[in-house]
Amino acid sequence: MSQTTPRDALVVGGGVAGLTAATFLARADLDTLVVNDGEPIVRRNAHLENVPGFPAGVNSRLFTDLLSEQADRNGAGRLTGRVTDLDVLGDDEDPLFRATVETDDGEETVEVSRVVAASWSDASYLEDTGVDLRAAGSKTYVGVDDLGRTDVPGIYAAGRLTEIYHQAVVAAGDAAETAITLVHDSGTAFYNDWVAPTGYFTDRGREVPPACEEIDADERAHRERESREVMREFFAEPHDEPQRTHPSLVDDELGRLDE
Ligand SMILES: Cc1cc2nc3c(=O)[nH]c(=O)nc-3n(C[C@H](O)[C@H](O)[C@H](O)COP(=O)(O)OP(=O)(O)OC[C@H]3O[C@@H](n4cnc5c(N)ncnc54)[C@H](O)[C@@H]3O)c2cc1C
């Protein structure tokens, strides 16, 4: 089955970078699809201790589940499949792309105005697009400017694929910045993605800026209650998926350890 109505944004790769980008894009009301094949590399980590907000660390499989949940709750779509090709259909003023996605059910195409490549460690689908690709040993990195734009208008890249430091929070921050750049480039009205208490802007005679919201005490209480419920549920039991290691060390494509 192929989808032909162009989406606003396609994120290739559902790791730390891709899922973070998707959350920011979807929150800016862009119709966003994440296509992911395989596992985010952070799932091989044995206990994630340097991601902000988890003072005693967090199970890395649980962490990526939380990122997926966040992308879902903010309205991003997710599809399991591998992007194998990207055709450039539009021009610099009006970017349009067609991505070919291999799924378990066959091949799909997705038409989309903008693409975020967050697919460490595969950039092969970008080969015919004109994006600057830099080979370094067995790896290929994507060249971007300071805000995540490649030299092909409409194609962005984020995360380890752009040769930033190999750390989860660096990938997340880089992806957030890239996503906001994409939002600006798309012409979507955007100030900051902020949630403020009632009156923060309006009691100072200002309109609530685009992509910001003011919420009252009832809504704050509702959101806090929901956040606590969700986190309680996620943390209620130890994560049930086995630890991963490098797949070359075990007879399992995901590197699952039999402990
Ligand atoms: C053993 C280990 C321990 C680590 N420990 C830490 C730590 O303690 N703290 C820390 O900060 N960092 C740690 N890291 C590093 C951190 O995990 C990475 O830097 C970060 O997660 C990179 O995120 P990313 O989104 O760029 O890449 P990834 O998380 O790898 O995401 C890329 C995703 O894209 C998918 N993909 C690839 N090609 C395609 C395609 N063509 N189509 C669709 N999907 C595709 C991949 O399968 C993957 O799911 C560790 C890494 C390893 C290996």
Side-chain angles (χ1 to χ4, degrees), residues 13 16-17 36-37 39-42 45 50 83 122 160 166-168:
V16 175
N36 185 64
D37 179 55
E39 280 208 336
I41 199 164
V42 78
N45 161 279
N50 52 9
V83 174
D122 175 30
R160 179 61 183 155
H166 212 338
Q167 298 287 167

Side-chain angles (χ1 to χ4, degrees), residues 154-194:
I155 304 183
Y156 302 73
R160 179 61 183 155
L161 193 64
T162 65
E163 210 178 355
I164 55 170
Y165 292 123
H166 212 338
Q167 298 287 167
V169 71
V170 178
D174 180 61
E177 185 170 65
T178 299
I180 292 171
T181 302
L182 188 161
V183 171
H184 282 301
D185 290 351
S186 72
T188 304
F190 186 87
Y191 170 67
N192 291 313
D193 183 349
W194 286 1

